Amino acid sequence: MSAILTARGLTRRFVTKKPLFVAPTVVQAVNGVDLDIEEGETFAIVGESGCGKSTLARLLSHLIAPSEGSVTYAGRDISALSASELRALRQHMQFIFQDPFSSLNPRMTVGALIGEPLNIHSIGTAAEQRAKVVDLLRKVGLRPEHADRYPHEFSGGQRQRIGIARALATGPQIVIGDEPVSALDVSIQAQVINILEDLKAEFGLTLVIIAHDLAVIRHIADRVAVMYLGEIVELAPAEELFAAPKHPYTGALLSAIPIPSTGARRLRTTLEGDPPNPIAPPPGCKFHTRCPHAQDRCRTERPVLLGTDAHHSVACHFAETLSLQGIASEEKPRAAAAQARFARYSAARAAMDGVAKG
């Protein structure tokens, strides 16, 4: 596969507001990120709150402009596009927002919300747009009559389905989801994730998912990038990263995943202290203040993201010598349960579609 979305040296700085005559401070939310996202894959970006993953998602979709670096989509630098060219790009790259309660205009009906991208890009006649809205509602598990209702009449999970339908209206190639299930109940999360997987296969989408729930990411992602304090510290295929992490931060994240088996135990890696202040990050490796394996070199020399093999990259001076605990392949009952829920959901949706058409 070839890269459909590429980032090089992607950096974003925010200047904090200060009182008059006081020098402003600078927060470096994303720092020199390089990424190649392949066409048709599900690419996940994970990390704890405040690490910069949501900012990175907005940079990749050019919802915000980078301070430095570039993002290339299908061979074109999107940061250099004019306003009209950027609007045309939106047809091919769509965004699913984290909060389904604030991302939908409460004064618009569901049909108007889903149909708005079709109007903006002049796709189809009015009749064709209405038919497209009904089709998308069915694909996300809602009924055609829901098009005449307003967002406040739906639950959080249903609103997120509406957001997914809106994102798919223009037939995009890339869909970026900024923690699309984090605001939902656990029972609803599986439904939304399964809808995304189903639609990805049907439409041939490339998915970029921002998340902090590693158990969900293990189930859906092809490759995973781990962020810490604005930088990518590890990048690998999902199964390889979960089975054999090479960065101490990744190992600590994996050790925190609950094992859904009675009596099962896993050695927990406890990180001391809180993440450093992004306004004044530590020198050398940014993780050295919390890393149980840190040495003198880590405190002075910043590691760069280097490949340990053809598919696995890590930013750690001692990646080759560390032996970190992963997650065994047999520890996957949650994924199996999710697949079973997906099968039940698909059968129910097929039955519902049959009733609606009849």
Side-chain angles (χ1 to χ4, degrees):
M1 291 185 292
S2 59
I4 189 172
L5 192 65
T6 299
R8 290 292 178 265
L10 206 55
T11 299
R12 175 66 190 200
R13 291 182 290 269
F14 294 98
V15 179
T16 62
K17 294 183 179 179
K18 286 290 184 179
L20 194 63
F21 305 119
V22 176
T25 55
V26 177
V27 178
Q28 190 133 313
V30 175
N31 183 24
V33 167
D34 293 337
L35 285 177
D36 291 289
I37 298 172
E38 297 177 350
E39 187 174 1
E41 74 171 335
T42 299
F43 187 91
I45 303 171
V46 303
E48 58 195 329
S49 297
C51 71
K53 55 187 185 294
S54 291
T55 301
L56 178 57
R58 282 161 170 75
L59 289 170
L60 291 174
S61 57
H62 206 64
L63 291 179
I64 58 175
S67 302
E68 296 174 12
S70 63
V71 177
T72 302
Y73 165 72
R76 300 179 67 192
D77 183 356
I78 66 175
S79 59
L81 298 180
S82 65
S84 60
E85 291 173 327
L86 188 59
R87 170 172 286 196
L89 171 72
R90 298 296 179 210
Q91 181 175 345
H92 308 290
M93 185 186 299
Q94 288 289 314
F95 204 93
I96 301 172
F97 295 92
Q98 177 178 359
D99 186 0
F101 295 92
S102 63
S103 61
L104 302 177
N105 188 335
R107 297 184 179 184
M108 297 176 68
T109 64
V110 167
L113 285 165
I114 298 174
E116 186 177 27
L118 299 173
N119 286 325
I120 291 173
H121 295 284
S122 302
I123 300 174
T125 64
E128 290 170 340
Q129 290 178 4
R130 286 193 295 270
K132 180 72 170 179
V133 168
V134 169
D135 182 56
L136 286 168
L137 284 170
R138 285 177 173 155
K139 288 184 184 299
V140 297
L142 297 174
R143 296 194 298 274
E145 57 266 29
H146 288 156
D148 298 321
R149 299 183 185 179
Y150 288 86
H152 73 270
E153 302 179 62
F154 296 89
S155 67
Q158 290 173 319
R159 293 189 201 190
Q160 198 61 293
R161 296 184 193 193
I162 295 167
I164 293 170
R166 180 177 61 180
L168 294 176
T170 60
Q173 290 182 295
I174 300 177
V175 173
I176 300 175
D178 182 12
E179 303 203 36
V181 298
S182 65
L184 307 177
D185 292 339
V186 174
S187 60
I188 306 300
Q189 288 182 6
Q191 296 177 19
V192 174
I193 287 296
N194 288 331
I195 288 173
L196 283 173
E197 285 195 297
D198 192 17
L199 295 174
K200 174 182 181 288
E202 181 174 347
F203 291 99
L205 300 173
T206 300
L207 288 181
V208 181
I209 301 295
I210 312 301
H212 60 262
D213 189 335
L214 291 175
V216 170
I217 289 305
R218 187 186 186 193
H219 172 54
I220 66 170
D222 298 308
R223 288 194 300 149
V224 180
V226 181
M227 285 193 75
Y228 184 80
L229 214 62
E231 299 178 357
I232 302 292
V233 297
E234 189 162 6
L235 173 61
E239 281 302 317
E240 185 174 337
L241 183 135
F242 278 84
K246 296 183 181 297
H247 195 283
Y249 178 62
T250 307
L253 290 179
L254 297 183
S255 74
I257 299 177
I259 302 176
S261 301
T262 304
R265 294 289 183 271
R266 187 189 301 126
L267 181 64
R268 178 74 180 269
T269 301
T270 303
L271 299 180
E272 299 294 335
D274 296 321
N277 187 345
I279 296 176
C285 175
K286 292 183 178 180
F287 186 59
H288 83 259
T289 57
R290 305 170 72 194
C291 180
H293 307 283
Q295 300 184 32
D296 290 340
R297 181 184 179 188
C298 305
R299 299 178 180 90
T300 58
E301 182 181 343
R302 178 190 171 192
V304 296
L305 191 68
L306 296 175
T308 59
D309 57 43
H311 307 289
H312 202 141
S313 301
V314 60
C316 178
H317 296 307
F318 306 103
E320 298 290 356
T321 59
L322 295 178
S323 179
L324 302 175
Q325 183 185 24
I327 298 178
S329 59
E330 59 267 17
E331 295 180 28
K332 296 188 70 173
R334 178 170 178 169
Q339 291 286 4
R341 286 194 298 270
F342 176 43
R344 292 195 296 271
Y345 162 77
S346 298
R349 194 177 73 182
M352 184 176 64
D353 285 347
V355 171
K357 291 177 182 178

